Amino acid sequence: MSKNYGPEYVRAIAPYQAGKPIAEVAREFGLDEAKIVKLASNENPFGVPESAKQAMAAAVAELGRYPDANGFDLKGALSQRYDVPADWITLGNGSNDILEIAAHAFVERGQSIVYAQYSFAVYALATQGIGAQHIVVPAKAHGHDLPAMLAAIRDDTRLVFIANPNNPTGTFIPAAEIEGFLSKVPAHVVVVLDEAYNEFLAEENQFESAAWVKKYPNLLVSRTFSKAYGLAGLRVGFAIAQPALTDLMNRIRQPFNVNSLAQAAAIAALNDREFLAKGADNNRAGYEQLVAAFDKLGLEYVPSYGNFVLVKVGDDAGAGARINLALLKQGVIVRPVGNYGLHEWLRISIGLPEENEVFIEALTHALAE
Ligand SMILES: *Cc1c(COP(=O)(O)O)cnc(C)c1O
């Protein structure tokens, strides 16, 4: 008999399901890697910005040394961009790291964390990983129900995770609603506002959440370089919060959690307005392309504010898995979302126009089978 190692709450963790790598799909289905289209992980279809490649090439010579543990230059650039002091910033090995650090820094085992049904899978993992209690608030029209989330907060609640826009549903909460929520949340509860897709928002939906941090000492805003900035493989994200929170985040994080190439690339990408604008334009056009196809195919979808769309591909609980398999066989990788309880749906990342077209043709074919 094998012994049970580790705490019960660790054994109960359901591992994160990442998008299938291209090489794996090629092997499994006997396909040519070059012909595979991956629209599964909300990655940037333009890849790494040229500016970031150059910055990394220059940083390679220093790789024999440890990275700057305090990320002086990157924090300086972020401090300028968001108009907050540098010591209000925590760097993370991707924003996943930020979410994990926040759970460790602010919550004790047995206390509770509030998040929404159908919100980012990492919230459940971060909660489970520290042995905290999950308070999962039912979604409303696939998005966050903030009044219900407020009502769900208990005396033992220490953290609320909010994704805006949300992944995997793409829903968005307008500024006024978030601020209404922040003004009512009890002071002992930290609110993590995860804005991984903020840069894709149309101008009329943009708001400066970093400015709210000055007003709300219990707010922590989380951002990433993985999506709009095209640096998913490097793992770099950051948080903005007042020093009382940031100080604890910095005690919990690993001293060298963001490597030197990532720091250099992030500074370059942050200042590459052209790359960001090109990505936003492509995303807008790609969204229209996808939803026009869904309309034509008579498929329901959730209107999205991110770089992906959640689409309902059938009425039975096997639909998502079935269509996903049919797409894989045609060399198209998307994301099944059955692990969220969304068995009839698939999440499609917005790609380049030609990639979207390959997906639309493959989907049309899969639905007709
Ligand atoms: C992609 C994503 C992240 C970012 O993850 P990284 O660790 O920064 O790559 C964070 N939150 C949400 C909701 C996401 O979808």
Side-chain angles (χ1 to χ4, degrees):
M1 253 197 27
S2 71
K3 187 176 170 348
N4 278 335
Y5 294 103
E8 166 58 30
Y9 62 82
V10 172
R11 292 199 300 272
I13 291 174
Y16 182 80
Q17 294 178 4
K20 267 180 179 292
I22 289 176
E24 186 182 313
V25 172
R27 268 196 312 272
E28 234 174 84
F29 295 89
L31 300 165
D32 177 1
E33 269 191 39
K35 295 215 174 101
I36 289 177
V37 168
K38 185 184 176 205
L39 303 174
S41 300
N42 300 346
E43 293 151 343
N44 196 309
F46 293 106
V48 185
E50 234 11 87
S51 55
K53 283 185 191 164
Q54 285 171 18
M56 283 189 280
V60 163
E62 289 301 314
L63 279 180
R65 301 199 182 279
Y66 279 99
D68 177 357
N70 292 314
F72 182 84
D73 291 335
L74 177 53
K75 283 187 190 173
L78 290 167
S79 154
Q80 273 202 333
R81 168 62 54 87
Y82 293 104
D83 190 27
V84 292
D87 65 355
W88 288 33
I89 296 166
T90 311
L91 301 181
N93 192 256
S95 57
N96 273 258
D97 192 26
I98 294 291
L99 305 172
E100 291 271 343
I101 294 170
H104 278 94
F106 307 129
V107 188
E108 261 178 49
R109 193 172 133 186
Q111 293 179 328
S112 65
I113 296 181
V114 170
Y115 57 88
Q117 178 190 26
Y118 308 144
S119 65
F120 191 37
V122 169
Y123 307 154
L125 288 172
T127 303
Q128 191 69 30
I130 57 164
Q133 296 183 58
H134 307 250
I135 301 180
V136 187
V137 178
K140 198 168 140 190
H142 290 98
H144 291 61
D145 182 346
L146 288 187
M149 289 178 76
L150 187 67
I153 291 173
R154 305 191 304 225
D155 287 345
D156 70 2
T157 302
R158 291 293 177 276
L159 195 64
V160 177
F161 283 118
I162 296 175
N164 197 38
N166 183 43
N167 172 20
T169 62
T171 52
F172 174 70
I173 314 163
E177 278 180 48
I178 303 248
E179 237 205 316
F181 179 81
L182 290 173
S183 67
K184 293 186 204 103
V185 165
H188 70 275
V189 177
V190 175
V191 177
V192 172
L193 186 56
D194 176 359
E195 300 187 318
Y197 301 96
N198 173 274
E199 297 82 4
F200 294 107
L201 291 174
E203 211 158 311
E204 66 268 24
N205 292 321
Q206 293 271 0
F207 51 85
E208 208 37 272
S209 49
W212 290 344
V213 169
K214 294 175 184 163
K215 193 166 161 193
Y216 300 102
N218 59 338
L219 173 63
L220 183 137
V221 171
S222 168
R223 298 279 186 97
T224 182
F225 283 92
S226 296
K227 309 286 161 57
Y229 292 105
L231 299 178
L234 273 182
R235 316 304 304 127
V236 48
F238 63 97
I240 301 175
Q242 290 192 20
L245 298 186
T246 302
D247 180 48
L248 291 186
M249 297 280 288
N250 273 308
R251 292 175 198 220
I252 288 292
R253 74 174 174 88
Q254 289 179 37
F256 303 105
N257 62 336
V258 181
N259 69 70
S260 19
L261 294 188
Q263 292 186 33
I267 295 168
L270 186 68
N271 293 316
D272 195 338
R273 299 290 189 145
E274 222 173 285
F275 184 82
L276 217 55
K278 181 174 75 167
D281 286 349
N282 179 74
N283 198 60
R284 217 165 298 123
Y287 180 74
E288 294 306 329
Q289 187 184 1
L290 289 182
V291 300
F294 297 153
D295 284 338
K296 203 168 140 201
L297 292 165
L299 300 180
E300 181 187 348
Y301 59 89
V302 180
S304 174
Y305 292 80
N307 63 346
F308 55 89
V309 192
L310 188 69
V311 60
K312 192 173 181 191
V313 292
D315 293 319
D316 62 293
R322 186 173 61 244
I323 299 297
N324 181 55
L325 181 63
L327 291 171
L328 284 173
K329 285 179 180 163
Q330 299 175 78
V332 177
I333 315 174
V334 300
R335 182 69 71 91
V337 281
N339 57 320
Y340 288 92
L342 295 163
H343 299 283
E344 302 87 358
W345 304 73
L346 291 173
R347 191 195 69 191
I348 322 300
S349 304
I350 297 168
L352 299 171
E354 54 274 23
E355 294 175 318
N356 301 333
E357 199 47 50
V358 169
F359 157 72
I360 291 166
E361 277 177 31
L363 176 67
T364 307
H365 190 255
L367 291 167
E369 266 179 4

